[in-house]
Amino acid sequence: MTREPSSARVLVSGATGRMGRRVIEEAAARDDARVVAGVSRDLSGKIDDIPVEPADEFEVVLREYDPDVLVDFSVPEASREFVADCAEANVACVVGTTGFTEDEFAEGGLAALREASERVPVLHASNFSRGVQALLRAVEGAVSDLPGYDVEVTESHHRHKRDAPSGTANAILDRIESVGEFDGRIHGREGDALREPGEIGVHARRAGGIRGEHEILLANEHEELRLTHRAGNRSAFADGALDAAGWLAGRNPGWYDFSEVVAE
Ligand code: NAD
C-alpha cells in the first residue's frame, strides 16, 4: 500500500462556510496538511492566502491545484458531485457533510459516495470530534449493561443547521440498535418525538448559536444515567477532519471510518 505524503495537499469544499473556514484556519497551524485551494457556492467573504473558486468549476480546480485529498463540509447535493469528480481524478475524500437521507440507496443517500470508494479512499463521518467517538463507545457499553432501561436521545444545535435529527444523533441511534441486548424500537428519527413505552425518543432542538450537544438518557424507575457531549467550538471537528485527511491520503480505494483514524 502506498502511504500518506508527509504534508497532504488539501482542497476544501464549502470553504466559505462555518466549518470550511475553520478547517482552513486549523490547517495553517499544522504541518501534516496544506490547503491548496477552496471551492464554494458563496464566494463572498475573502479568505486570506487561499484561492477560493466557484463550485461549478470543480473539475477545473482539481486539474489546476492537483490535491491529494478533498475535505468537504458543504451540502449533500454538492458533496455527491464533488466526490464523483474526485473519483475520476484519483483524489481521496474526507466528507463531513451531514443530512444524507437515511436510506443510503435512495435519492439523497450515500450511494454515490460508496460508489466512489471503489476507485478512491472515502471517509464519511457525521462527527469528527474524538469526544463523540468516545461517547459512541460509552453509549454501547451503557445500553448493553442496562437492558430494559428507557433510552432518550436529545440533540441541540444552532438555528442554521439544516438537518434534524443531526447526523451524530443518527450515528448514536445506529450504535444503540447494534447492541444485541437492545430490543426497543427507535421513534422520532423523522422529528416526531411522541412514542410508545419501550421506544427510543429522539429530540432535536435548534436555537441561537449552540455548537452541538448530544445527550443520551437511560432510566428506569429507580435511577438515571446521562451521557453528554458538548462541542466547545468547531476546532474539534476541523482538527479531526484534518487528522482524517492526513491519514486517508495515499491509502487504497475503500470505505473508511473515523474510528480507524482515532484508533491509531
Ligand atoms: P455553512 O452553511 O456555514 O457552510 C456550507 C458551505 O457550503 C458554504 O460555504 C456554502 O457556500 C457551501 N455550499 C452550499 N451549497 C453549495 C452548493 N450547491 N455547491 C457548493 N457549495 C455549496 O454550514 P456549516 O456549518 O459549515 O456545515 C456544513 C456541513 O457540515 C453541514 O452538513 C453540517 O451538518 C456539517 N458538519 C459536520 C461536522 C462533522 O464533524 N462531520 C461538524 C459540523 C458541521
Side-chain angles (χ1 to χ4, degrees), residues 174-198:
D174 288 343
R175 194 59 74 96
I176 293 170
E177 279 188 314
S178 76
V179 175
E181 288 78 357
F182 179 74
D183 62 358
R185 286 186 301 127
I186 291 172
H187 193 77
R189 270 196 178 186
E190 306 306 323
D192 174 7
L194 291 174
R195 62 174 187 79
E196 299 295 324

Side-chain angles (χ1 to χ4, degrees), residues 16-19 40-42 55 75 78 96 98 125-128 161:
T16 57
R18 286 174 285 261
M19 275 307 302
S40 197
R41 191 180 59 175
D42 170 15
V75 292
T98 64
S126 305
N127 195 305
F128 277 110
K161 187 167 179 58

